[in-house]
């Protein structure tokens, strides 16, 4: 009987504590006012650069007390549109979209705008203009990469180009810019272009195929991102050709920076994932709160070679 009395007393004490905690939380919520909820649809969480952007958004949101709902579109524009429809149904305050494709992801932007929810595109564009865009100029990156190769080759040689996902803004704009630069150097020839879908292992296989097809004719590789650049370096090294072939890629992920430091990858272009993530959250918060914001935030690329790589290594 004594044991039962003690158990009952313990239960009552727990209930009182639980009620107290609940009252404290309700009081805290009431005094802090309405907090923002932002839905985020990312292109693919299998890509290191995209993960870095998402991580920075989460840090910024946590610091600001903003609830972030992050989902992975797994490279599917259709899934991305459905995710945005879900955000609209949840009545989020703003949406951040990292588009899978220029055209096929545009309905997601249209639906958010029709629901009068601000939508901020980060890192990549859609044909439908969003409320705001935060990213970097992919035309600039393609131009910088190809100029680097043209100058290193003295305006003569054969180049192969690895593309990202077909139809995505970065793939379209980097390819367009690279071809524009090539036209300025008649001694340079594009031997082949093909997608390796931003993927290291696919890039390695593609490079192996190109080595088999063109052998010593290849002077340089322009890979649209570091994952593919690292795959090209691995295949060229295995074939004993790396010392004869230049490789430049984009993003400056840690692996690529270390490769540049070792003299394997010749150059990469630093794309600021932290700034893209942080600025996307700040813009979304301002738009949702009815404050003034920049409709376009462009963060410049920087060329990274062995000469300055230490500035970028953390």
């Amino acid at each position: 009987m004594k044991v039962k009395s003690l158990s009952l007393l313990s239960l009552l004490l727990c209930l009182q504590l639980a009620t107290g905690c609940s009252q404290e939380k309700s009081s805290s919520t009431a005094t802090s006012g309405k907090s923002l909820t932002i839905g985020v649809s990312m292109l693919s969480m299998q890509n290191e650069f995209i993960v870095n952007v998402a991580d920075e958004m989460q840090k910024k949101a946590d610091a600001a007390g903003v609830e972030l709902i992050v989902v992975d579109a797994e490279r599917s524009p259709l899934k991305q549109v459905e995710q945005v429809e879900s955000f609209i149904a949840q009545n989020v305050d703003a949406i951040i979209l990292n588009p899978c494709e220029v055209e096929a992801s545009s309905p997601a932007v249209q639906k958010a705008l029709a629901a009068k929810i601000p939508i901020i595109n980060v890192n990549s564009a859609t044909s439908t203009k969003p409320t705001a865009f935060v990213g970097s100029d992919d035309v600039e990156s393609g131009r910088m990469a190809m100029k680097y190769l043209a100058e290193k080759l003295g305006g003569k040689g054969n180049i192969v180009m690895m593309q990202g996902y077909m139809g995505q803004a970065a793939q379209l704009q980097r390819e367009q810019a690279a071809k524009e630069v090539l036209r300025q150097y008649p001694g340079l020839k594009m031997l082949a272009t093909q997608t390796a879908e931003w993927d290291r292992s696919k890039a390695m296989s593609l490079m192996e195929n190109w080595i088999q097809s063109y052998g010593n004719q290849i002077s340089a590789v322009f890979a649209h991102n570091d994952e593919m650049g690292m795959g090209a370096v691995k295949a060229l090294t295995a074939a004993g050709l790396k010392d004869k072939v230049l490789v430049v890629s984009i993003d400056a992920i840690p692996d690529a920076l270390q490769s540049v430091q070792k003299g394997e990858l010749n150059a990469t272009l630093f794309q600021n994932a932290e700034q893209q993530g942080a600025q996307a959250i700040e813009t979304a918060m301002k738009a949702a709160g009815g404050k003034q914001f920049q409709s376009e935030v462009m963060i410049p690329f920087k060329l990274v070679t062995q000469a300055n790589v230490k500035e970028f290594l953390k």
Side-chain angles (χ1 to χ4, degrees):
M1 186 66 184
K2 188 175 180 180
V3 173
K4 287 184 179 177
S5 297
L6 281 173
S7 299
L8 180 60
L9 183 61
S10 299
L11 178 61
L12 288 171
L13 183 59
C14 288
L15 285 171
Q16 282 180 334
L17 286 171
T19 304
C21 289
S22 176
Q23 287 173 341
E24 185 179 342
K25 185 176 179 181
S26 298
S27 174
S28 173
T29 304
T31 55
S32 63
K34 183 181 181 301
S35 61
L36 296 176
T37 300
I38 299 174
V40 180
S41 172
M42 300 301 285
L43 158 71
S44 169
M45 296 300 270
Q46 298 299 313
N47 181 294
E48 183 173 344
F49 180 82
I50 298 301
V51 171
N52 291 340
V53 174
D55 286 348
E56 195 59 30
M57 283 196 284
Q58 190 65 63
K59 285 183 197 171
K60 191 79 178 175
D62 289 345
V66 170
E67 182 185 356
L68 215 58
I69 305 170
V70 182
V71 292
D72 183 356
E74 299 176 327
R75 296 177 44 201
S76 166
L78 180 61
K79 181 176 282 189
Q80 197 152 51
V81 173
E82 291 171 351
Q83 288 170 343
V84 167
E85 288 173 340
S86 173
F87 290 149
I88 294 169
Q90 293 174 65
N91 198 29
V92 299
D93 299 289
I95 295 170
I96 295 175
L97 184 74
N98 174 216
C100 293
E101 291 184 16
V102 172
E103 296 297 337
S105 294
S106 282
V109 177
Q110 293 163 5
K111 286 175 182 288
L113 295 175
K116 301 191 184 305
I117 296 176
I119 181 162
I120 288 74
N121 281 3
V122 64
N123 180 254
S124 194
T126 51
S127 57
T128 299
K129 189 177 179 182
T131 308
F133 174 81
V134 175
S136 301
D137 184 351
D138 282 312
V139 173
E140 179 193 11
S141 67
R143 193 177 292 138
M144 289 172 71
M146 193 54 75
K147 278 188 175 178
Y148 169 83
L149 292 179
E151 290 171 6
K152 284 289 180 184
L153 293 172
K156 295 180 181 176
N158 298 317
I159 297 173
V160 292
M161 180 163 61
M162 292 184 176
Q163 302 158 309
Y165 294 146
M166 302 305 285
Q168 199 194 9
Q171 177 266 318
L172 294 168
Q173 293 174 3
R174 289 171 188 176
E175 179 170 1
Q176 171 204 332
K179 288 182 175 177
E180 284 175 4
V181 173
L182 272 183
R183 286 195 284 273
Q184 300 168 21
Y185 294 87
L188 292 177
K189 180 182 177 184
M190 184 71 77
L191 280 182
T193 65
Q194 190 172 325
T195 181
E197 299 183 341
W198 305 127
D199 184 86
R200 190 176 304 201
S201 60
K202 290 179 181 176
M204 187 176 171
S205 297
L206 177 58
M207 194 70 235
E208 289 169 348
N209 291 338
W210 279 342
I211 290 170
Q212 196 169 15
S213 299
Y214 302 109
N216 291 325
Q217 296 178 60
I218 301 171
S219 311
V221 180
F222 169 31
H224 283 187
N225 79 342
D226 283 340
E227 289 291 344
M228 297 190 295
M230 296 299 293
V233 165
K234 196 167 182 179
L236 287 164
T237 302
L241 292 172
K242 180 61 201 73
D243 290 343
K244 300 174 183 175
V245 180
L246 295 169
V247 181
V248 62
S249 52
I250 297 171
D251 284 342
I253 62 174
D255 272 3
L257 291 173
Q258 288 171 12
S259 184
V260 169
Q261 189 177 38
K262 292 175 186 171
E264 300 166 343
L265 183 66
N266 297 90
T268 182
L269 292 168
F270 176 68
Q271 183 175 202
N272 198 325
E274 293 182 0
Q275 277 296 309
Q276 288 189 12
Q279 294 287 331
I281 289 292
E282 284 188 15
T283 303
M285 289 170 59
K286 287 178 181 176
K291 298 178 182 176
Q292 286 192 333
F293 60 90
Q294 285 182 259
S295 60
E296 186 174 270
V297 180
M298 299 300 280
I299 301 156
F301 286 96
K302 294 178 183 174
L303 181 67
V304 184
T305 65
Q306 207 167 22
N308 66 347
V309 68
K310 288 183 180 177
E311 297 172 24
F312 299 88
L313 285 164
K314 294 180 180 176

